[in-house]
């Protein structure tokens, strides 16, 4: 037999086998690519997390939480809460929410809970409310009412009132936490160096804002999550538990001071992301 014929015959099955392998690989690649495209196409965009600080704090109090949320792929907006009046602060937050496209998870700390409760009412984009050592007022209730409903708050004795004049000539009162009492009262589980800075940069709240009654709250129609800080000296833990039960909220407790977003950013992020996972 001709040697070249033998070589040709030997190559033919190998060539067929190689061609089949290449075709199988191409098919597998195509299927995998289509599957990946399908998964990407069916993934929903993550909701925007909007963070609202409370009294005696500013947006930097969310820094640790923001880092974790952004690492996990969430768009985040940290709102500068004016802390002037409940109605005015709520109206300002409503304008911020109106500028955001798509679903929103709205989180508030302390007095910020009162603000989000009012601002989210009637907003169809807000899919979940998160309250972090925060107020969940019923219509007509104020922060002052709720903080005094149960024993445990020592905030009153730690405050320093500072009179101011509004642009229309009317008088108001700003409330600060006294610098030498700030750490014990507000953030006992945060380092001394950090609380010294927090005391200097604290944003005052007006006495009128804390005394103003709430409007119809959004937690009656929007699912809510509550993180209770069990070592809180501003809002008594029993008051936080009462408000959470009344709202039918998903509730978590953590051993933390009132400044839970600073001392326990991981726990705060977990609760916010639990709420975000409910958004469809």
């Amino acid at each position: 037999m001709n040697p070249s014929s033998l070589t040709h015959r030997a190559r033919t099955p190998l060539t067929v086998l190689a061609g089949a392998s290449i075709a199988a690989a191409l098919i597998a690649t195509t299927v995998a690519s289509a599957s990946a495209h399908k998964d990407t196409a069916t993934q929903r965009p993550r909701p925007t997390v909007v963070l609202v600080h409370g009294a005696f704090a500013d947006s930097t109090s969310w820094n640790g939480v923001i880092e974790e949320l952004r690492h996990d792929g969430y768009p985040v907006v940290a709102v500068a809460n004016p802390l002037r009046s409940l109605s005015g602060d709520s109206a300002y937050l409503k304008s911020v929410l109106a500028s955001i496209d798509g679903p929103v998870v709205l989180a508030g700390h302390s007095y910020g809970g009162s603000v989000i409760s009012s601002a989210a009412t009637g907003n169809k984009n807000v899919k979940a409310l998160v309250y972090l050592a925060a107020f969940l007022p019923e219509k007509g209730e104020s922060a002052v009412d709720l903080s005094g409903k149960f024993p445990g708050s020592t905030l009153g004795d730690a405050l320093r009132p500072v009179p101011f004049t509004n642009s229309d000539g009317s008088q108001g009162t700003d409330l600060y936490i006294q610098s030498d009492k700030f750490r014990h009262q507000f953030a006992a589980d945060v380092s001394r160096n950090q609380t010294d800075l927090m005391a200097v940069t604290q944003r005052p709240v007006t006495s009128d804002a804390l005394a103003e009654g709430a409007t119809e709250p959004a937690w009656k129609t929007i699912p809510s999550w509550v993180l209770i800080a069990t070592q809180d000296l501003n809002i008594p833990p029993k008051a936080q538990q009462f408000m959470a039960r009344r709202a039918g909220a998903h509730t978590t407790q953590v051993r933390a001071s009132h400044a839970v977003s600073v001392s326990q950013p991981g726990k705060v992020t977990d609760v916010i992301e639990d709420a975000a996972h409910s958004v469809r």
Side-chain angles (χ1 to χ4, degrees):
M1 183 176 292
N2 189 328
S4 63
S5 178
L6 286 173
T7 302
H8 174 74
R9 290 181 181 181
R11 284 178 178 173
T12 299
L14 291 174
T15 302
V16 171
L17 181 60
S21 298
I22 292 170
L26 288 171
I27 292 170
T29 301
T30 301
V31 171
S33 176
S35 177
H37 178 73
K38 182 179 179 181
D39 289 344
T40 302
T42 57
Q43 284 180 351
R44 294 178 180 272
R46 294 185 185 274
T48 299
V49 177
V50 177
L51 305 171
V52 182
H53 67 81
F56 320 115
D58 64 13
S59 292
T60 63
S61 62
W62 297 109
N63 281 356
V65 176
I66 292 168
E67 288 178 3
E68 296 200 25
L69 288 170
R70 285 170 59 88
H71 177 270
D72 294 342
Y74 288 92
V76 184
V77 175
V79 178
N81 190 356
L83 306 178
R84 300 293 85 191
S85 69
L86 181 54
S87 54
D89 299 341
S90 301
Y92 176 75
L93 178 56
K94 283 184 179 182
S95 68
V96 175
L97 294 173
S99 72
I100 299 172
D101 293 329
V104 168
V105 173
L106 185 55
H109 172 243
S110 188
Y111 164 78
S114 297
V115 177
I116 71 171
S117 290
S118 175
T121 300
N123 188 322
K124 295 181 179 179
N125 281 350
V126 178
K127 304 299 183 182
L129 298 168
V130 183
Y131 296 87
L132 307 153
F135 292 110
L136 291 78
E138 176 60 275
K139 184 177 181 180
E141 288 179 335
S142 70
V144 171
D145 295 334
L146 289 166
S147 61
K149 193 175 184 69
F150 296 89
S153 176
T154 57
L155 179 61
D157 292 336
L159 292 176
R160 179 172 67 94
V162 177
F164 68 89
T165 302
N166 290 301
S167 58
D168 62 1
S170 62
Q171 299 296 302
T173 302
D174 268 337
L175 300 175
Y176 295 82
I177 296 178
Q178 299 172 44
S179 295
D180 60 341
K181 296 181 178 180
F182 187 92
R183 183 168 188 263
H184 172 74
Q185 179 62 44
F186 194 81
D189 51 354
V190 179
S191 72
R192 173 71 64 182
N193 286 342
Q194 190 167 2
T195 54
D196 285 349
L197 291 173
M198 291 167 64
V200 171
T201 60
Q202 67 174 292
R203 293 271 309 285
V205 65
T206 67
S207 58
D208 288 344
L210 297 183
E212 185 176 345
T215 58
E216 189 68 20
W219 51 258
K220 289 188 175 182
T221 55
I222 301 174
S224 57
W225 280 254
V226 169
L227 179 63
I228 296 169
T230 63
Q231 306 301 302
D232 196 332
L233 297 180
N234 278 23
I235 307 175
K238 287 186 178 180
Q240 296 179 44
Q241 292 164 357
F242 163 76
M243 292 183 283
R245 285 195 302 269
R246 182 173 66 179
H250 306 271
T251 305
T252 303
Q253 296 195 36
V254 61
R255 183 179 176 83
S257 70
H258 187 64
V260 63
S261 62
V262 179
S263 66
Q264 299 278 356
K267 294 289 188 181
V268 169
T269 302
D270 287 345
V271 174
I272 292 172
E273 292 191 359
D274 281 347
H277 292 156
S278 74
V279 178
R280 296 291 182 265

